Amino acid sequence: MRELKFIETIRQRAGNARSGVKLGIGDDAAVLEYDKSKYLLWADDMLVEGTHFTKEDDSFDVGWKAVAVNISDIAAMGGIPKYITVSLGCSGKHSGKYLSKLYDGIFAICKKFGIQVVGGDTNKSDKFIIDVSIIGFVEKKRLITRKGARIGDLILVTGPIRNGRLTHLSFTPRLQESRVLGVYKITAMIDVSDGLSMDLNRLCERSKVGAQIYASSITLVPGLSLDDALYYGESFELLFTIPPKEIEKIKNDRKISDSIFVIGSVVSSSQGVKIMTSSNENKRLKIAGFKHF
Ligand SMILES: Nc1ncnc2c1ncn2[C@@H]1O[C@H](COP(=O)(O)OP(=O)(O)O)[C@@H](O)[C@H]1O
Ligand SMILES: Cc1ncc(C[n+]2csc(CCOP(=O)(O)OP(=O)(O)O)c2C)c(N)n1
Ligand SMILES: [Mg+2]
């Protein structure tokens, strides 16, 4: 069974959101009732040796990345990360130095973002595995989900889009940008872990809309190909939509204006997801990206 189909079967078995669960499976984090003014956000992302990093990678970077990908999921909901648990699969062949440097990376990023490690689990595995579960909070009025993009909205992405092949182990999650954006009207948001194409398509499906994007507007870091931006993944940029009237306000905000780019607009679902190529051909965007199986 394919990954996406598998997750869909779990989503159906888990059932509809009950009381206390505002959003279950299907967004960057679960959204749970917390108090009058805030929701609790809960996400979990796992890294596996050979899939997300190699044996040769510095364990500081592996620890950093394991936390960073989780912070990115909280940022995608508009929230602030607070607590993590860290679970490891490792064996005697992983030296004390490897593990100590792993935690240097974990504590370095936790310090940067004010996050506390509050637990975890340690198990035997020949392949190194690190799983992080994260809790954050978001003001109810600032919650942003994948659902909510409306026809006519502009589509934006943070950037210039980073090269996932080069920066996936050391990237800074776009948390600060997300918190700045949170004061404006953002209608939908997702973090780009699997490539712009797949994650734009996810946002569109959830919002029941289509998209028209322009290749010439997608701003890339030097050396990154458009194909990699669309299909490789691990740029961990934020992709989001706003009503057109918000753009002037956001563009005038010096805290964010240089790190956001309009790449297109939201159209009706019947038009699907299209890309205007650099040779001015308007094509259906191939929906592809990273899938585990
Ligand atoms: N084994 C699983 N059991 C339950 N939910 C899962 C499982 N795997 C993934 N999910 C859920 O499916 C959704 C998509 O997962 P994923 O593609 O990993 O999201 P993300 O890109 O935000 O990390 C998320 O809401 C996640 O919580
Ligand atoms: C050894 C190795 N091979 C391949 C990749 C590329 N890669 C691995 S996972 C991934 C996509 C994102 O990972 P995923 O676990 O799907 O993130 P999620 O959607 O759960 O946030 C990419 C591009 C890598 N980082 N390291
Ligand atoms: Mg995500």
Tab-separated table of all heavy atoms in Angstrom, residues 153-183:
chain	number	residue	atom	x	y	z
A	153	ASP	N	-7.417	34.631	-3.835
A	153	ASP	CA	-6.290	34.836	-2.906
A	153	ASP	C	-4.964	34.773	-3.674
A	153	ASP	O	-4.856	34.078	-4.694
A	153	ASP	CB	-6.258	33.725	-1.833
A	153	ASP	CG	-7.301	33.930	-0.740
A	153	ASP	OD1	-7.991	34.965	-0.747
A	153	ASP	OD2	-7.409	33.031	0.122
A	154	LEU	N	-3.963	35.452	-3.124
A	154	LEU	CA	-2.613	35.326	-3.676
A	154	LEU	C	-1.908	34.148	-3.000
A	154	LEU	O	-2.163	33.845	-1.831
A	154	LEU	CB	-1.816	36.602	-3.421
A	154	LEU	CG	-2.371	37.870	-4.070
A	154	LEU	CD1	-1.564	39.089	-3.637
A	154	LEU	CD2	-2.359	37.737	-5.601
A	155	ILE	N	-1.024	33.489	-3.755
A	155	ILE	CA	-0.222	32.387	-3.207
A	155	ILE	C	1.200	32.902	-3.007
A	155	ILE	O	1.800	33.446	-3.940
A	155	ILE	CB	-0.210	31.179	-4.167
A	155	ILE	CG1	-1.640	30.702	-4.439
A	155	ILE	CG2	0.643	30.041	-3.603
A	155	ILE	CD1	-1.733	29.658	-5.559
A	156	LEU	N	1.720	32.738	-1.794
A	156	LEU	CA	3.075	33.219	-1.494
A	156	LEU	C	3.915	32.096	-0.914
A	156	LEU	O	3.384	31.103	-0.396
A	156	LEU	CB	3.042	34.367	-0.483
A	156	LEU	CG	2.440	35.682	-0.968
A	156	LEU	CD1	0.951	35.730	-0.686
A	156	LEU	CD2	3.134	36.856	-0.295
A	157	VAL	N	5.212	32.298	-0.994
A	157	VAL	CA	6.123	31.346	-0.355
A	157	VAL	C	7.258	32.149	0.285
A	157	VAL	O	7.629	33.217	-0.215
A	157	VAL	CB	6.620	30.299	-1.391
A	157	VAL	CG1	7.511	30.914	-2.445
A	157	VAL	CG2	7.323	29.131	-0.715
A	158	THR	N	7.750	31.661	1.428
A	158	THR	CA	8.929	32.307	2.008
A	158	THR	C	10.133	31.912	1.146
A	158	THR	O	10.109	30.918	0.436
A	158	THR	CB	9.163	31.887	3.469
A	158	THR	OG1	9.248	30.456	3.528
A	158	THR	CG2	8.040	32.374	4.381
A	159	GLY	N	11.177	32.687	1.236
A	159	GLY	CA	12.347	32.359	0.426
A	159	GLY	C	13.337	33.495	0.387
A	159	GLY	O	13.260	34.373	1.237
A	160	PRO	N	14.234	33.527	-0.618
A	160	PRO	CA	14.355	32.645	-1.768
A	160	PRO	C	14.353	31.169	-1.351
A	160	PRO	O	14.965	30.827	-0.333
A	160	PRO	CB	15.705	33.036	-2.375
A	160	PRO	CG	15.959	34.421	-1.884
A	160	PRO	CD	15.306	34.523	-0.567
A	161	ILE	N	13.690	30.345	-2.157
A	161	ILE	CA	13.525	28.942	-1.786
A	161	ILE	C	14.884	28.268	-1.615
A	161	ILE	O	15.751	28.340	-2.477
A	161	ILE	CB	12.655	28.208	-2.826
A	161	ILE	CG1	11.250	28.840	-2.788
A	161	ILE	CG2	12.587	26.710	-2.521
A	161	ILE	CD1	10.284	28.249	-3.778
A	162	ARG	N	15.040	27.627	-0.445
A	162	ARG	CA	16.334	27.022	-0.101
A	162	ARG	C	16.523	25.704	-0.842
A	162	ARG	O	15.564	25.050	-1.234
A	162	ARG	CB	16.392	26.799	1.419
A	162	ARG	CG	16.297	28.106	2.176
A	162	ARG	CD	16.318	27.911	3.674
A	162	ARG	NE	15.093	27.357	4.195
A	162	ARG	CZ	14.667	27.562	5.436
A	162	ARG	NH1	15.350	28.320	6.278
A	162	ARG	NH2	13.545	27.004	5.864
A	163	ASN	N	17.780	25.321	-0.964
A	163	ASN	CA	18.123	24.080	-1.648
A	163	ASN	C	18.128	22.930	-0.642
A	163	ASN	O	19.078	22.747	0.108
A	163	ASN	CB	19.502	24.240	-2.292
A	163	ASN	CG	19.846	23.054	-3.162
A	163	ASN	OD1	19.258	21.974	-3.017
A	163	ASN	ND2	20.782	23.250	-4.071
A	164	GLY	N	17.040	22.153	-0.633
A	164	GLY	CA	16.891	21.056	0.322
A	164	GLY	C	18.063	20.078	0.299
A	164	GLY	O	18.438	19.520	1.323
A	165	ARG	N	18.645	19.888	-0.888
A	165	ARG	CA	19.772	18.943	-0.986
A	165	ARG	C	20.950	19.414	-0.136
A	165	ARG	O	21.730	18.611	0.359
A	165	ARG	CB	20.252	18.819	-2.440
A	165	ARG	CG	19.281	18.090	-3.333
A	165	ARG	CD	19.877	17.962	-4.737
A	165	ARG	NE	18.832	17.631	-5.683
A	165	ARG	CZ	18.449	16.384	-5.953
A	165	ARG	NH1	19.024	15.359	-5.361
A	165	ARG	NH2	17.480	16.164	-6.827
A	166	LEU	N	21.104	20.747	-0.006
A	166	LEU	CA	22.276	21.295	0.693
A	166	LEU	C	21.988	21.679	2.147
A	166	LEU	O	22.872	21.642	2.985
A	166	LEU	CB	22.788	22.543	-0.044
A	166	LEU	CG	23.198	22.353	-1.502
A	166	LEU	CD1	23.681	23.673	-2.089
A	166	LEU	CD2	24.292	21.290	-1.612
A	167	THR	N	20.733	22.081	2.424
A	167	THR	CA	20.481	22.689	3.742
A	167	THR	C	19.549	21.875	4.641
A	167	THR	O	19.198	22.332	5.721
A	167	THR	CB	19.883	24.109	3.589
A	167	THR	OG1	18.661	24.003	2.854
A	167	THR	CG2	20.838	25.044	2.850
A	168	HIS	N	19.170	20.657	4.194
A	168	HIS	CA	18.147	19.937	4.964
A	168	HIS	C	18.589	19.593	6.383
A	168	HIS	O	17.755	19.385	7.259
A	168	HIS	CB	17.717	18.664	4.208
A	168	HIS	CG	18.756	17.579	4.200
A	168	HIS	ND1	18.690	16.493	5.033
A	168	HIS	CD2	19.895	17.437	3.483
A	168	HIS	CE1	19.732	15.708	4.818
A	168	HIS	NE2	20.483	16.258	3.880
A	169	LEU	N	19.920	19.545	6.612
A	169	LEU	CA	20.388	19.185	7.961
A	169	LEU	C	20.594	20.405	8.860
A	169	LEU	O	20.750	20.250	10.065
A	169	LEU	CB	21.717	18.430	7.860
A	169	LEU	CG	21.643	16.969	7.418
A	169	LEU	CD1	23.024	16.461	7.053
A	169	LEU	CD2	21.025	16.093	8.512
A	170	SER	N	20.633	21.589	8.262
A	170	SER	CA	21.062	22.743	9.056
A	170	SER	C	20.116	23.931	8.944
A	170	SER	O	20.447	25.023	9.369
A	170	SER	CB	22.449	23.178	8.594
A	170	SER	OG	22.393	23.472	7.212
A	171	PHE	N	18.920	23.701	8.382
A	171	PHE	CA	18.043	24.839	8.099
A	171	PHE	C	17.440	25.427	9.374
A	171	PHE	O	17.304	24.740	10.388
A	171	PHE	CB	16.927	24.425	7.126
A	171	PHE	CG	15.823	23.619	7.759
A	171	PHE	CD1	14.653	24.228	8.189
A	171	PHE	CD2	15.949	22.247	7.939
A	171	PHE	CE1	13.636	23.500	8.783
A	171	PHE	CE2	14.938	21.503	8.521
A	171	PHE	CZ	13.782	22.133	8.952
A	172	THR	N	17.103	26.706	9.275
A	172	THR	CA	16.382	27.372	10.363
A	172	THR	C	14.906	27.378	9.998
A	172	THR	O	14.535	27.911	8.949
A	172	THR	CB	16.890	28.823	10.527
A	172	THR	OG1	18.275	28.760	10.854
A	172	THR	CG2	16.144	29.550	11.630
A	173	PRO	N	14.061	26.762	10.837
A	173	PRO	CA	12.637	26.758	10.512
A	173	PRO	C	12.090	28.179	10.463
A	173	PRO	O	12.568	29.063	11.179
A	173	PRO	CB	11.999	25.942	11.641
A	173	PRO	CG	13.041	25.773	12.679
A	173	PRO	CD	14.376	26.037	12.067
A	174	ARG	N	11.085	28.404	9.623
A	174	ARG	CA	10.561	29.759	9.386
A	174	ARG	C	9.569	30.166	10.480
A	174	ARG	O	8.457	30.600	10.181
A	174	ARG	CB	9.884	29.825	8.013
A	174	ARG	CG	10.809	29.527	6.845
A	174	ARG	CD	11.710	30.687	6.548
A	174	ARG	NE	12.377	30.562	5.253
A	174	ARG	CZ	13.364	31.335	4.879
A	174	ARG	NH1	13.823	32.289	5.696
A	174	ARG	NH2	13.931	31.189	3.701
A	175	LEU	N	10.002	30.021	11.728
A	175	LEU	CA	9.094	30.324	12.841
A	175	LEU	C	8.892	31.830	13.018
A	175	LEU	O	7.774	32.302	13.203
A	175	LEU	CB	9.640	29.709	14.135
A	175	LEU	CG	8.746	29.905	15.346
A	175	LEU	CD1	7.440	29.141	15.202
A	175	LEU	CD2	9.447	29.477	16.626
A	176	GLN	N	9.988	32.551	12.943
A	176	GLN	CA	9.896	33.997	13.123
A	176	GLN	C	8.998	34.602	12.040
A	176	GLN	O	8.129	35.436	12.322
A	176	GLN	CB	11.303	34.572	13.022
A	176	GLN	CG	11.478	35.894	13.699
A	176	GLN	CD	12.795	36.499	13.275
A	176	GLN	OE1	13.785	35.795	13.029
A	176	GLN	NE2	12.805	37.809	13.160
A	177	GLU	N	9.182	34.117	10.801
A	177	GLU	CA	8.374	34.608	9.682
A	177	GLU	C	6.895	34.293	9.929
A	177	GLU	O	6.023	35.125	9.697
A	177	GLU	CB	8.838	33.960	8.366
A	177	GLU	CG	10.208	34.388	7.879
A	177	GLU	CD	11.368	33.647	8.541
A	177	GLU	OE1	11.142	32.899	9.524
A	177	GLU	OE2	12.511	33.832	8.080
A	178	SER	N	6.636	33.061	10.407
A	178	SER	CA	5.251	32.661	10.658
A	178	SER	C	4.607	33.564	11.703
A	178	SER	O	3.447	33.967	11.567
A	178	SER	CB	5.232	31.203	11.133
A	178	SER	OG	4.035	30.927	11.804
A	179	ARG	N	5.347	33.904	12.737
A	179	ARG	CA	4.772	34.744	13.799
A	179	ARG	C	4.550	36.178	13.309
A	179	ARG	O	3.617	36.832	13.736
A	179	ARG	CB	5.667	34.722	15.044
A	179	ARG	CG	5.695	33.371	15.753
A	179	ARG	CD	4.345	32.934	16.256
A	179	ARG	NE	3.793	33.805	17.274
A	179	ARG	CZ	2.561	33.701	17.767
A	179	ARG	NH1	1.738	32.762	17.345
A	179	ARG	NH2	2.136	34.541	18.684
A	180	VAL	N	5.404	36.644	12.422
A	180	VAL	CA	5.178	37.980	11.857
A	180	VAL	C	3.932	37.936	10.961
A	180	VAL	O	3.059	38.807	11.027
A	180	VAL	CB	6.409	38.461	11.051
A	180	VAL	CG1	6.090	39.768	10.324
A	180	VAL	CG2	7.610	38.642	11.960
A	181	LEU	N	3.828	36.883	10.146
A	181	LEU	CA	2.678	36.769	9.234
A	181	LEU	C	1.368	36.647	9.998
A	181	LEU	O	0.311	37.048	9.515
A	181	LEU	CB	2.860	35.545	8.324
A	181	LEU	CG	3.955	35.687	7.270
A	181	LEU	CD1	4.240	34.344	6.606
A	181	LEU	CD2	3.539	36.720	6.217
A	182	GLY	N	1.447	36.085	11.206
A	182	GLY	CA	0.251	35.809	12.004
A	182	GLY	C	-0.589	37.034	12.332
A	182	GLY	O	-1.773	36.897	12.645
A	183	VAL	N	-0.025	38.238	12.252
A	183	VAL	CA	-0.836	39.424	12.551
A	183	VAL	C	-1.662	39.839	11.321
A	183	VAL	O	-2.551	40.664	11.431
A	183	VAL	CB	0.006	40.631	13.048
A	183	VAL	CG1	0.837	40.240	14.245
A	183	VAL	CG2	0.883	41.200	11.946
